[in-house]
Amino acid sequence: MELDQIVERFQKKDTAAFEKLYNMYSENICGVINTIVQNTNVAEEICQDVFMKAWKNSESYNVSKGRFFTWILNIARNAAIDEIRSKSYKNSKKNLSADYFVGILESKENNESGSEDTIGLKKLLLNLKEKCVQIIELLYFKGFTQKEVSKELNIPLGTVKTRNRSCISQIRNNLAL
Amino acid sequence: MDTKEYIASGILELYVAGTLSDIENLEVYLNAQKYPEIKKEIEAIEASVLSLSGTVSPGTKGFGDIRNRIAKEGASLTDEKKNKVSWTAYLGWAVSLIFMAGLIWLYEQNNQLISDIEVVSLENITLEQQIADSEISLAKTEELLTTIRDKNITVVPLGGQTVSPTSYAKAYWNKHEKKVFIDAQGLPNPPDGFVYQVWSLKLNPLTPTSMGLLEDFMEDDNKVFALANPNESEAFGITLEPAGGSAAPNLEQLYTLGVATS
């Protein structure tokens, strides 16, 4: 079934369609939340809340406004950021940018290979520069705008777009290997 | 459109990130609908982000947990609905009962008011009648007053005679208009079949001329009668005569008599 059709059924409160979407995206959404709250238990909990929120507000999604993944990603980011603010984490976006994602990746990289989680990770990150990881984390996981990324990484605004593209392309190449 | 250039611009990566404006999002969406290669590119970008974010996942609690939560919320939602329904139903009944009671009360009040209004309007009619009567009476009285106050009026008191010494009357004689008003207040009611007749008298020789009858004597409230008097009267007399009057006065039944002095 096409994604659009699944989403449409999901919006009509079809739990089977919802399950499909959950299976497609829950790992990723939980991962993104984890990079922000930096606590796996809390991340799992928020992740479920995010999917429930999506279920309840399914009618507010409109395909013309973006990808379904992008929509739920946005809900997830907001929920995660709300969480760390309510827990009186240091809450500026600057502090959010602490390179936790990079840290997780590195720690996973250093793990003994052979564990299921890390399969493909090395491959994925092959030749991926640190500045790529940073820009991807800020744009996709932290929800920074181009302007904010440009300020954060101290690079020209126009560079954000092109660098991001080349970084994503690198991951795509790695995936294709 | 040069789709290659469009793809190379990096806008699709930002589209997946969700950092574009609404208008830009719509534009990308429409282009993706139009050009399959753009749609494919978007899907590839999304796949790479998914693969990357998947690597940092702590794992998930699974859809079973979600299913339970949906079921729970569904149940509590129905409960809420049920409670809501019964609560609103009770409230509805209560309100309608109060409303009914109010309506009945208003209906009673209304009936009461209607009957009150009927009584009042009846009273009103009576009062209006009385006022009208009073006005007519007043008008008559004023007319009378004006008449007897006229400067041309000669007042002739008529004293009681042998037949009825306590009787009296007054004649208000307007020589100018040749009219006499007889105030017969001091005369007793005439017996059945009889009527008072007023006479203009010339004294030397005694020549009576009938001026008319005091008809409907009993029914007349103010007992003032207007009569024409074209005569050069020297005195006025009132006699009791059989109904219809007589050609000559029955002097034995002369009740009052008065002499015009001027």
Side-chain angles (χ1 to χ4, degrees), chain B residues 178-203:
Chain B
K178 303 190 189 324
K179 271 168 99 176
V180 171
F181 295 90
I182 300 296
D183 179 2
Q185 187 75 41
L187 288 176
N189 286 334
D192 274 352
F194 289 87
V195 68
Y196 287 117
Q197 190 165 8
V198 183
W199 305 90
S200 164
L201 303 169
K202 281 264 189 187
L203 295 177

Side-chain angles (χ1 to χ4, degrees), chain A residues 18-19 22 25 27-28 34 44-45 48-49 56 65 67 70 77 108 140 144 146 161 164-165 172, chain B residues 9 13-14 16-19 25 41 46 50 53 55-59 61-62 65 67 69 73:
Chain A
F18 185 27
E19 186 167 6
Y22 182 88
Y25 298 118
E27 288 282 350
N28 317 88
N34 193 28
E44 279 178 32
E45 198 58 49
Q48 298 297 85
D49 291 344
K56 284 182 208 160
K65 283 184 182 170
R67 301 283 294 168
T70 308
R77 284 192 299 236
K108 287 206 173 187
Y140 293 92
F144 276 44
Q146 285 182 83
K161 214 161 150 186
N164 180 51
R165 166 144 178 89
R172 286 168 65 185
Chain B
S9 74
E13 282 78 1
L14 296 179
V16 172
T19 59
N25 279 330
E41 181 74 10
E46 185 178 293
L50 283 172
S53 57
T55 62
V56 287
S57 177
K61 288 188 164 185
D65 171 62
R67 207 194 301 278
R69 285 169 73 164
E73 296 211 344

Side-chain angles (χ1 to χ4, degrees), chain B residues 231-248:
Chain B
N231 311 299
E232 291 295 319
S233 307
E234 288 171 348
F236 296 103
I238 299 175
T239 58
L240 191 68
E241 302 290 343
S246 308

